[in-house]
Amino acid sequence: MKSYLLRAVAGLCCIGALLAAVGGGATLDLILAGVLWAVALVCAFVSMGDGGHVALPWRKLDSAQNDYLREQFEKAEADCNALRDAAGETQDPALRAQLVRMDNVASNILAYLWQHPECILAARKFINTDQDKAVELVQRSLELEATNLQSADVQRARSDIQRTLDRFDEAYEADFADILKEEVMDIRADLAVVGQKHAADGLQSHGGMSSASAAKQAKSAADGLSPTVLSVTRKKRIVGGLLALISCGLGFHRFYLGQRLMGVVYVLLSWTTIPVIAGWAEGLRYLTMKNRDFYFKYCLR
């Protein structure tokens, strides 16, 4: 709903800007048109950086099931975002590294559920049990970390939580395997049929993967990110860098990355050359950063 409202405001501002621009060419009209254009662009980019999805690619589902699946997906997405927030907040490198490993698997699960919402029912253990418990344990660990106490009891409790969380990425992978179980069976059945057809035609299969696929997997492993997270990070890095270079100091890249307060600061200072220079510097930095560094700095909220 929030994204819809922002886009509606952006559309109305665009119409108002056009009317003001052709309304006579007076200085005040041109100033008003510029302001409306700026508001429209800000609303548009805030809605883009909102992190939420407007609509899932639902199959032919009845209304009640549609609402339930949407609610379950949004809950899983909110829990995933909460764990990302925690990864950016904690000062414990072990906890941070484990949360990144969990996020790699969770992001792959969410990406799959996004494309196959009919499988959300099979993901109930991941959504309502494992994710819930992970968020609860991480919040407790952050609360203990915030006390800055070094007593034996506090350190023991944090170590126990860490040991428990260390198994959650494996639990997520098991959840993912359960979600994929039916599709894997369908794939095997289809491959068996194709294999029989090829055998009947006298064809032989060749094992291994293409050099492009191998290079992509090697790149992902080098970055320490899953392919899904790597793809999203690369897109954010490139789009953010380009927005920083072309937004003329209006800070659209900050809105896109979810840093709305800094975006407002850019807009307020847009009458000076400071945000223009800062935007160019940040744009060049984004475009030359490693994906892993960009992920830790800008994708963990």
Side-chain angles (χ1 to χ4, degrees):
M1 179 61 70
K2 184 178 179 181
S3 295
Y4 283 126
L5 291 175
L6 288 170
R7 289 169 187 172
V9 171
L12 292 174
C13 288
C14 287
I15 295 173
L18 288 173
L19 293 176
V22 300
T27 302
L28 289 178
D29 290 335
L30 294 177
I31 293 176
L32 177 60
V35 171
L36 289 174
W37 277 120
V39 173
L41 289 171
V42 168
C43 289
F45 284 115
V46 169
S47 68
M48 288 174 58
D50 206 21
H53 301 291
V54 176
L56 288 173
W58 302 116
R59 281 26 176 192
K60 295 180 179 179
L61 304 173
D62 60 75
S63 177
Q65 188 179 23
N66 191 324
D67 292 341
Y68 175 74
L69 295 181
R70 184 184 301 277
E71 178 184 343
Q72 288 290 292
F73 183 88
E74 290 176 350
K75 179 183 182 302
E77 194 173 38
D79 287 340
C80 189
N81 287 334
L83 293 176
R84 288 175 183 168
D85 290 342
E89 181 180 346
T90 183
Q91 301 299 316
D92 185 341
L95 177 59
R96 183 185 178 96
Q98 177 58 22
L99 289 175
V100 170
R101 287 192 292 269
M102 292 165 60
D103 182 57
N104 282 338
V105 184
S107 296
N108 288 335
I109 294 176
L110 288 179
Y112 181 81
L113 295 179
W114 173 258
Q115 295 296 329
H116 303 276
E118 70 277 4
C119 294
I120 292 176
L121 291 176
R124 283 176 293 184
K125 179 177 179 293
F126 166 73
I127 297 172
N128 298 315
T129 301
D130 290 340
Q131 280 277 77
D132 281 352
K133 181 55 66 176
V135 171
E136 178 186 347
L137 290 174
V138 169
Q139 290 301 324
R140 289 187 175 183
S141 181
L142 290 179
E143 290 172 0
L144 292 175
E145 182 180 335
T147 64
N148 291 320
L149 293 177
Q150 302 298 321
S151 66
D153 289 340
V154 170
Q155 294 303 312
R156 187 180 304 112
R158 291 181 62 185
S159 297
D160 291 342
I161 292 175
Q162 181 66 47
R163 280 195 296 271
T164 302
L165 288 173
D166 284 344
R167 297 190 293 270
F168 265 77
D169 53 320
E170 296 178 5
Y172 284 4
E173 290 175 352
D175 292 338
F176 203 3
D178 289 339
I179 296 170
L180 293 172
K181 186 177 297 183
E182 184 173 342
E183 180 170 349
V184 169
M185 293 176 63
D186 291 341
I187 291 174
R188 287 178 176 175
D190 291 341
L191 290 177
V193 173
V194 173
Q196 292 174 0
K197 178 67 168 59
H198 286 177
D201 293 339
L203 301 176
Q204 295 181 352
S205 62
H206 299 279
M209 67 176 70
S210 67
S211 58
S213 298
K216 185 176 180 180
Q217 289 191 9
K219 171 63 176 172
S220 177
D223 285 322
L225 305 174
S226 71
T228 301
V229 174
L230 180 63
S231 176
V232 173
T233 301
R234 185 186 297 112
K235 176 186 174 183
K236 278 195 171 185
R237 181 175 61 81
I238 294 174
V239 173
L242 294 177
L243 286 176
L245 292 174
I246 67 176
S247 61
C248 300
L250 291 176
F252 295 152
H253 60 295
R254 292 289 190 168
F255 289 107
Y256 176 74
L257 295 174
Q259 300 173 333
R260 296 172 187 173
L261 179 59
M262 285 300 301
V264 171
V265 172
Y266 267 73
V267 173
L268 293 177
L269 296 177
S270 59
W271 59 277
T272 71
T273 59
I274 296 175
V276 176
I277 297 173
W280 288 345
E282 290 178 337
L284 292 174
R285 189 171 82 251
Y286 294 169
L287 293 175
T288 56
M289 284 181 74
K290 293 182 178 179
N291 290 312
R292 179 180 176 84
D293 295 337
F294 187 88
Y295 172 79
F296 280 111
K297 188 170 181 63
Y298 297 105
C299 296
L300 294 178
R301 298 186 294 176

